[in-house]
Amino acid sequence: MHFTSQTALLALASAASAFDLSKANDLDGTVWPATSPAGSRLGARWNRPIKRQEGWNPPSSLVTPLQQVWDHCVNTYTDGLFGFKNYGWDQIMATQGKINVCVRWESDTPVSEAQRAQISTVVNQQYQRWFEWLYGFDNFPFQEVSTSVVGWAVKDASLLQGSTAGIDVYTDRDGEGAPQCAESCGRFFHQDGDYSGCPGGAERHYDNSLWLTDGMQGGAGGDWGQRIGAEYFIQSLGAENIHILLHEMGHSFGLDDFYDWTPAGITNFIMLAGSSTEVTEFDGWMLRNWWYELSRQRGWQS
Ligand SMILES: [Zn+2]
C-alpha cells in the first residue's frame, strides 16, 4: 500500500489510518489519456456474470496476470493487505450494500439543483461500471450496491442554488481549509460505526467523499474516497466513462496502481493509468479477485 505526501492526503494526516492507494503519479495530468471523456466509445460488453458463478474461474488467459497482481498486493500492501479494515469492501458490508457519498466542492462556482441531481446519478452510474462485475459472482451478497449523495460541503452555502432538500449542507473545513462534510458523520473518522455525534445520526452518515477541486489535474483515491478536478468532472458528466474517477474508485476498493510494472500480457486497463478509458475485463477480474480473497478471509462468504 502506498503512502504519499501529496496535498490530497495532507487533509487526512491527522487520521492515523489514512491510506491513499493512488500513487503520486495519479496527480500528473499527463499520464491520463488525452481522449475527451465525452468522446469515449460505448463500453464494450465482456463476460459480465449472466448466471451465478462460484469460486475462482477467470478466463485462462487472465489466470497468470491476475495471480501476479494479487501476489504483488499481498507482498507490498501494509499489514499484508488483510490487516487494513476500511476498504470499500468493509464499507459496503457495514452498510448492507449502500454507499453514502459526501461531495466536497472545493470551488467558487455555484452549483444548480439540477447539476447536483445529475452528479448524484452519475456517481452511481460510474460505481456500477465496477459493481456489475460483482453481481451474481461468488456469493457476492448484493444484487445492487446503490450509492447516493447525502451531503455537500461547500465554502459558502450560497453556492448551492435552488432547493437543498434531501441533502445535508456543510461548511466545515479540513486542516488545510478545504470544504469537508462533518467528521462526526464520516466513516473514515468513525470506522467503528458510531455516528452518535452526527446531527442526523447514522442514517445521515457518509461512507466516502467525492472531492472536487478546481484546477486539479489527475486524481487521487483511497478508502476516504476519490479526488479529481472539478472542471474535469463537470465537463465529463455526460460521458459513458469518467475514466479518472473510475480509476480512483478502483483504489477505494483496494486496487493498485501500475506505474512501475505491468502484469504479463496485459497492456490496457483502467488501473494502468492512461491505457484505457473504461473498466476492462481484466479490471473486472481484479475486482472479483479482491472479493474472492477478502470475503473468505473476512468470513463474508456465508
Ligand atoms: Zn492510481
Side-chain angles (χ1 to χ4, degrees):
M1 201 166 299
H2 312 284
F3 294 89
T4 77
S5 58
Q6 299 302 313
T7 310
L9 265 190
L10 293 178
L12 300 170
S14 61
S17 58
F19 281 94
D20 188 11
L21 277 163
S22 61
K23 291 187 175 174
N25 307 57
D26 275 22
L27 292 164
D28 178 358
T30 63
V31 306
W32 301 96
T35 313
S36 165
S40 298
R41 61 193 171 88
L42 290 176
R45 298 295 170 190
W46 279 281
N47 62 335
R48 305 287 154 76
I50 298 168
K51 59 183 179 183
R52 300 194 69 83
Q53 304 180 33
E54 291 187 12
W56 186 238
N57 50 9
S60 58
S61 63
L62 302 185
V63 170
T64 296
L66 286 168
Q67 189 65 50
Q68 291 173 336
V69 170
W70 184 255
D71 289 346
H72 187 83
C73 289
V74 170
N75 291 331
T76 60
Y77 280 26
T78 305
D79 295 334
L81 185 152
F82 293 114
F84 184 65
K85 298 290 175 56
N86 195 37
Y87 295 115
W89 304 102
D90 297 295
Q91 298 173 18
I92 61 172
M93 293 305 291
T95 60
Q96 290 296 301
K98 196 173 182 325
I99 300 175
N100 284 353
V101 176
C102 159
V103 176
R104 302 180 61 179
W105 186 245
E106 194 176 10
S107 169
D108 296 317
T109 306
V111 189
S112 72
E113 189 176 346
Q115 279 179 312
R116 293 195 297 277
Q118 186 181 14
I119 287 169
S120 188
T121 299
V122 166
V123 169
N124 186 59
Q125 286 174 344
Q126 296 302 300
Y127 263 124
Q128 299 312 315
R129 302 281 183 267
W130 283 108
F131 294 145
E132 61 190 358
W133 287 92
L134 300 173
Y135 302 142
F137 174 73
D138 189 35
N139 296 317
F140 184 71
F142 312 117
Q143 294 183 327
E144 181 187 10
V145 178
S146 63
T147 77
S148 57
V149 173
V150 297
W152 274 74
V154 288
K155 295 179 181 177
D156 189 299
S158 67
L159 292 171
L160 301 178
Q161 300 175 334
S163 170
T164 55
I167 59 169
D168 293 318
V169 177
Y170 299 94
T171 53
D172 300 47
R173 303 290 181 102
D174 66 17
E176 299 294 309
Q180 71 169 354
C181 294
E183 295 185 0
S184 60
C185 302
R187 155 88 191 192
F188 181 84
F189 306 97
H190 297 277
Q191 295 176 23
D192 60 356
D194 179 2
Y195 300 109
S196 56
C198 180
E203 194 172 319
R204 302 303 299 177
H205 87 284
Y206 62 96
D207 297 294
N208 64 44
S209 294
L210 174 61
W211 185 357
L212 303 171
T213 299
D214 265 355
M216 185 180 184
Q217 302 293 310
D223 62 318
W224 47 270
Q226 307 87 36
R227 186 183 188 189
I228 57 176
E231 301 94 335
Y232 163 76
F233 182 63
I234 295 299
Q235 291 164 8
S236 303
L237 283 175
E240 180 86 359
N241 297 287
I242 304 177
H243 66 274
I244 301 179
L245 179 59
L246 290 171
H247 175 104
E248 306 305 344
M249 284 175 165
H251 286 317
S252 295
F253 277 77
L255 301 188
D256 204 359
D257 270 322
F258 293 86
Y259 289 111
D260 49 352
W261 74 286
T262 52
I266 310 296
T267 54
N268 296 94
F269 55 111
I270 199 86
M271 296 313 295
L272 176 59
S275 72
S276 174
T277 56
E278 61 193 5
V279 174
T280 68
E281 179 181 38
F282 188 70
D283 291 303
W285 277 97
M286 284 198 299
L287 189 72
R288 289 176 169 183
N289 204 341
W290 271 80
W291 170 254
Y292 176 81
E293 296 285 352
L294 202 61
S295 65
R296 284 166 175 76
Q297 202 275 345
R298 296 273 209 261
W300 295 337
Q301 274 283 313
S302 55

